[in-house]
Amino acid sequence: MILSIITPQGVSFEGEVKRFQFPSAKGLMEFLPGHAPMIAEVKRGKIVTDTQEMECGDGVVRIKDDKIVVVCE
């Protein structure tokens, strides 16, 4: 999967990941390859991939065709 994290300062991360976990309004959510398309709210907290952890603010995430785009503060 290709993950892009966009903040007001610009693109803070772009790369390939095998796992993507983020805090949502309903608790932790996780995406794996082949996930169905969706849009979800991101809450302030920690984004976790198979290789690293990053802090994020409130925002939104969209997944489609194994491409994940997070727009957050």
Side-chain angles (χ1 to χ4, degrees):
M1 298 184 299
I2 303 298
L3 170 63
S4 299
I5 300 176
I6 303 166
T7 68
Q9 291 75 35
V11 177
S12 66
F13 178 85
E14 191 162 53
E16 189 168 336
V17 298
K18 295 177 183 173
R19 179 176 75 96
F20 170 72
Q21 183 182 67
F22 68 98
S24 77
K26 296 183 178 185
L28 287 177
M29 294 185 76
E30 185 167 333
F31 294 150
L32 298 171
H35 197 285
M38 72 174 295
I39 295 174
E41 181 181 6
V42 176
K43 291 302 212 180
R44 180 173 304 281
K46 199 175 286 190
I47 289 176
V48 179
T49 72
D50 52 306
T51 59
Q52 62 184 310
E53 295 182 3
M54 300 161 268
E55 291 294 323
C56 71
D58 293 337
V60 66
V61 62
R62 174 181 172 252
I63 183 169
K64 183 176 181 185
D65 300 327
D66 281 343
K67 293 179 186 159
I68 304 166
V69 178
V70 178
V71 179
C72 61
E73 294 179 357

